[in-house]
Amino acid sequence: MRCQAWLPALFALGLSGGVAAADPLQQSEALALLQKIADAARELNYAGTFVYQHGDQVETSRIVHFVENGNEHEKLETLDGPRREVIRNNEEVLCYYPDAKIVRSDKRVARRTFPALLPEQLSSLTEYYEIRKGDPERIGGFDSQALVLEPRDGMRYGHKFWADSASGLLLKARMLSERHNVVEQFSFTHVVIGSGVTREMVQPSFNIRFPEWRLDRFVNNAISEVESGWTVKNFPVGFRKILEMRRSRQGNSVLVTHMVYSDGLAAVSVFIEPAATRTRINEGLSQQGAINIYTRTVNDQVVTVLGEAPASTVIVTLCNSPIFNSLVYWCIRPKICGSPR
């Protein structure tokens, strides 16, 4: 779990190469297994250390999740590099940066974090992913059942999940690119489930005193498409808009429009901000781990589309662009171009 920024690092995980063939599960059985994994991450008490791998980088973190009277409390600590601690109470998030003496207040927005990677609504996943059982394996001292999610088209990455056979808690997850390369992986190296996890374990480690520390508060303003003044057409099949908002940091009057589209597992974000506020604009396609990023200027605005998806899924075009073809999505235009088609 990381605090939101203008270009948040969205995570997704997935599938390894060489998975043994197996018959696809019936929709009801696949959804039941996925629902058990989704419920476990939100309803169980657990504490453990996990490793996040992407490219040649490896990061280790410690997580504690405690549920009391239906309320979720979570603490995430980075164990490598600069110290950082994230405390979540339901949707309220506080990020502590002790080296800089900054605490950042925000709300959790359309983001999922290991081991809570699956959405609450799972019914659409079987339409866009073929789900198979993998071989049972032992992960972190637990017997696990593997599930393989293979995309039915080239617009999304594949996934492989290993869940504790008893509780359903996700123990390991991978993402596989369209070229069958593992691009990201999360895995518990040690985890305790159930007893032994207490409310005290999710308390912050720092004694915050102002003005020694600085509070950095983000402001999220939910808006509709009409209010934002932007129209998005022709986004990939299976993706639907789940969020549209304007964001601004305290002390900064510049508003950034943020829209999130998801197929229930993969997420793609669209950011629109005035070009005048950017000191440098790198147009075109770039990549950060599993995240493909496409940036271009539309009139006097900078439009950035990013997501844990193949490059063709995030490429932007204007509605009247001559390069528009079957491999280009996200037809984005300001309302001054005319009424939406």
Side-chain angles (χ1 to χ4, degrees), residues 44-50 62-65 114-115 139-143 164 167 169-172 187-195 197:
L44 297 180
N45 295 339
Y46 50 87
T49 301
F50 67 86
R62 181 185 297 118
I63 189 170
V64 180
H65 183 267
F114 182 78
I139 306 291
F142 291 83
D143 293 329
D164 174 33
S167 67
L169 183 68
L170 191 62
L171 301 174
K172 183 176 178 179
S187 181
F188 273 119
T189 57
H190 175 265
V191 63
V192 174
I193 304 173
S195 60
V197 182

Side-chain angles (χ1 to χ4, degrees), residues 2 56 151-152 172 235 251 291:
R2 300 181 181 182
D56 59 354
R152 297 182 185 275
K172 183 176 178 179
F235 41 85
I291 301 171

Side-chain angles (χ1 to χ4, degrees), residues 298-318:
V298 180
N299 291 351
D300 58 351
Q301 303 288 306
V302 177
V303 177
T304 301
V305 180
L306 63 86
E308 67 250 344
S312 59
T313 307
V314 303
I315 293 178
V316 182
T317 182
L318 294 176

Side-chain angles (χ1 to χ4, degrees), residues 121-324:
Q121 299 298 323
L122 297 165
S123 57
S124 65
L125 292 186
T126 55
E127 185 174 352
Y128 306 109
Y129 298 88
E130 187 175 271
I131 303 175
R132 305 172 183 271
K133 276 188 178 180
D135 295 331
E137 294 185 38
R138 189 160 172 79
I139 306 291
F142 291 83
D143 293 329
S144 73
Q145 174 60 59
L147 282 182
V148 178
L149 283 71
E150 297 181 358
R152 297 182 185 275
D153 57 30
M155 294 295 104
R156 56 211 92 221
Y157 286 151
H159 300 262
K160 186 174 183 180
F161 299 132
W162 290 262
D164 174 33
S165 299
S167 67
L169 183 68
L170 191 62
L171 301 174
K172 183 176 178 179
R174 284 182 184 166
M175 178 190 295
L176 184 72
S177 74
E178 66 274 29
R179 292 188 175 93
H180 303 286
N181 297 318
V182 177
V183 291
E184 286 190 343
Q185 175 173 289
F186 286 96
S187 181
F188 273 119
T189 57
H190 175 265
V191 63
V192 174
I193 304 173
S195 60
V197 182
T198 65
R199 183 71 169 85
E200 289 70 27
M201 295 170 66
V202 292
Q203 297 299 319
S205 305
F206 310 105
N207 183 18
I208 306 302
R209 295 182 180 180
F210 299 103
E212 182 182 356
W213 283 65
R214 186 180 87 235
L215 176 64
D216 190 1
R217 187 185 303 277
F218 279 83
V219 178
N220 299 330
N221 300 308
I223 57 175
S224 68
E225 185 179 58
V226 173
E227 291 172 328
S228 75
W230 288 85
T231 299
V232 178
K233 296 290 184 182
N234 208 65
F235 41 85
V237 174
F239 287 79
R240 63 181 181 85
K241 185 167 70 175
I242 61 173
L243 172 74
E244 181 171 2
M245 63 192 304
R246 280 195 176 115
R247 297 172 56 85
S248 67
R249 182 179 293 189
Q250 188 177 36
N252 191 329
S253 60
V254 177
L255 292 177
V256 176
T257 296
H258 180 198
M259 293 174 276
V260 179
Y261 292 77
S262 177
D263 65 357
L265 188 59
V268 176
S269 280
V270 179
F271 293 89
I272 304 171
E273 59 184 306
T277 65
R278 299 279 294 270
T279 57
R280 183 178 181 183
I281 302 173
N282 296 319
E283 294 201 68
L285 184 68
S286 61
Q287 188 176 35
Q288 294 180 7
I291 301 171
N292 278 298
I293 305 168
Y294 190 87
T295 302
R296 69 175 298 166
T297 303
V298 180
N299 291 351
D300 58 351
Q301 303 288 306
V302 177
V303 177
T304 301
V305 180
L306 63 86
E308 67 250 344
S312 59
T313 307
V314 303
I315 293 178
V316 182
T317 182
L318 294 176
C319 288
N320 59 355
S321 172
I323 66 170
F324 187 80

